Amino acid sequence: GSGTSGDPYVVNNTFTEVDGSVTNEIQDLSISGNTLSLSSDATTVDLSGYLDNTDSQTLSVTGNDLSITGGNTITLPTADGSETIVNSGTNINVTGSGTSGDPYVVSNTFTEVDGSVTNEIQDLSISGNTLSLSSDATTVDLSGYLDNTDDQTASEVTISDAGGNFTATDVEGALSELAAASTDDQLASEVDSDAPVDVDGDGVTDDTVEDVIQAIAPITSKAARIFYPPSIAIDASVLVNNATVDLYQEYLDQYGGSAANFTASAGAPGTVPTYGRTELYYYVTFADPAVLNIDLIDANGNMQYDVIGTPPDYNSLINVVFVVK
């Protein structure tokens, strides 16, 4: 159009909002990848955080039931026998066709991925003598392989004598020979003395056990077995009949005491060795017949006597001898 002056209308770039708002203009949305944009400005929104792309569900078959993790289970119709299923990881692949007009059927019969059913990982276990596999009920009885029936006797075990020590060819015979060999019946004259000496002082060295026995026997069988008991006092100041004195006890009282009761040489033991009462024989070899009459001496060393006269000088002798049995 034109103005009143005949000039054309002039439009400037200053607009007045019809609804009074400059924030509700018509704009276009656009998306590039996961980024959402407005046509009016450079503002964008990243939508990648809203993606649901983490579902790694797995299919599984139990009988005629097909299931997906986190989802539902459906029951499949019965197969006609022409289908096969291959289970590879999380994928179940079905080949073949179902019955006429029916959907594919997944059975629970799987085909080995590597074509072998004999290389499965299994566990061995043993109970008693029975060996088992974890895959089935097959067992193997190992008791026949036990080596626990060796009940041989010594006579059934053969030996090989490397040193010629035995004439026997089995353990029983060898043991018998050893037993026979251990019965050493050597004579004393065949056994040497460790340190030969002249035992009896006759100028001849006694080399063997027999020599030592023969040299020492006369000494031990005679003089060494005879000894005098200690001196004792018998009252003969008055005449008496059937008086008694215990010769063994008098011997024990003096010889059997400790060193506190007598004086010993340097290094001597603290006691004098004594014999038991029944280890001795008791003798009176002399008594003054004018003073004493010895009635008897019993096996325990008790002497019974009579005083038939008093000694003129108040002193008389009696000899008592002990002999080791």
Side-chain angles (χ1 to χ4, degrees):
S2 61
T4 57
S5 62
D7 295 329
Y9 287 105
V10 177
V11 180
N12 62 27
N13 59 355
T14 301
F15 293 90
T16 300
E17 285 290 330
V18 176
D19 57 5
S21 174
V22 295
T23 61
N24 61 354
E25 301 304 312
I26 297 173
Q27 303 181 56
D28 293 326
L29 285 171
S30 61
I31 189 168
S32 175
N34 296 322
T35 302
L36 181 67
S37 304
L38 283 174
S39 59
S40 62
D41 55 29
T43 303
T44 61
V45 177
D46 185 1
L47 300 179
S48 60
Y50 298 92
L51 294 175
D52 184 14
N53 60 357
T54 59
D55 191 355
S56 60
Q57 292 170 289
T58 302
L59 286 173
S60 63
V61 174
T62 303
N64 289 336
D65 294 333
L66 178 65
S67 303
I68 187 169
T69 56
N72 297 327
T73 299
I74 61 171
T75 300
L76 303 173
T78 304
D80 63 1
S82 63
E83 299 79 14
T84 59
I85 181 170
V86 176
N87 182 12
S88 177
T90 59
N91 300 320
I92 298 180
N93 303 317
V94 179
T95 60
S97 61
T99 56
S100 178
D102 292 331
Y104 285 106
V105 176
V106 179
S107 70
N108 60 356
T109 301
F110 292 88
T111 300
E112 286 289 331
V113 176
D114 58 2
S116 175
V117 296
T118 61
N119 62 351
E120 302 305 308
I121 297 176
Q122 304 180 59
D123 293 325
L124 281 173
S125 62
I126 190 167
S127 176
N129 297 322
T130 302
L131 182 67
S132 304
L133 281 174
S134 59
S135 62
D136 54 30
T138 303
T139 60
V140 177
D141 185 3
L142 301 179
S143 59
Y145 297 92
L146 294 175
D147 184 14
N148 58 0
T149 59
D150 189 357
D151 57 355
Q152 291 174 290
T153 62
S155 61
E156 297 173 321
V157 180
T158 60
I159 60 172
S160 176
D161 181 23
N165 296 314
F166 304 111
T167 58
T169 58
D170 57 72
V171 171
E172 181 69 21
L175 290 175
S176 297
E177 291 185 22
L178 281 174
S182 64
T183 57
D184 189 352
D185 57 354
Q186 287 177 288
L187 299 176
S189 61
E190 299 174 323
V191 180
D192 293 332
S193 176
D194 288 340
V197 295
D198 180 5
V199 175
D200 55 3
D202 62 357
V204 178
T205 301
D206 301 302
D207 297 315
T208 67
V209 172
E210 180 65 18
D211 293 338
V212 173
I213 293 173
Q214 293 299 326
I216 204 172
I219 301 173
T220 58
S221 64
K222 296 180 181 179
R225 293 171 54 210
I226 302 171
F227 66 96
Y228 289 99
S231 298
I232 61 174
I234 294 179
D235 184 7
S237 61
V238 296
L239 304 181
V240 295
N241 291 321
N242 301 325
T244 60
V245 60
D246 188 343
L247 299 176
Y248 176 80
Q249 190 61 50
E250 295 288 344
Y251 151 75
L252 191 64
D253 288 345
Q254 293 194 49
Y255 284 178
S258 66
N261 299 327
F262 47 76
T263 302
S265 64
T271 60
V272 175
T274 58
Y275 292 99
R277 185 183 290 272
T278 59
E279 293 180 302
L280 299 172
Y281 294 121
Y282 306 90
Y283 298 87
V284 173
T285 60
F286 173 80
D288 187 347
V291 178
L292 294 175
N293 178 51
I294 307 302
D295 297 326
L296 61 89
I297 305 173
D298 67 17
N300 290 318
N302 296 297
M303 183 182 73
Q304 179 180 309
Y305 64 94
D306 304 322
V307 177
I308 58 177
T310 59
D313 56 359
Y314 300 99
N315 188 21
S316 183
L317 295 176
I318 177 174
N319 286 339
V320 178
V321 174
F322 289 177
V323 176
V324 180
K325 291 182 180 180

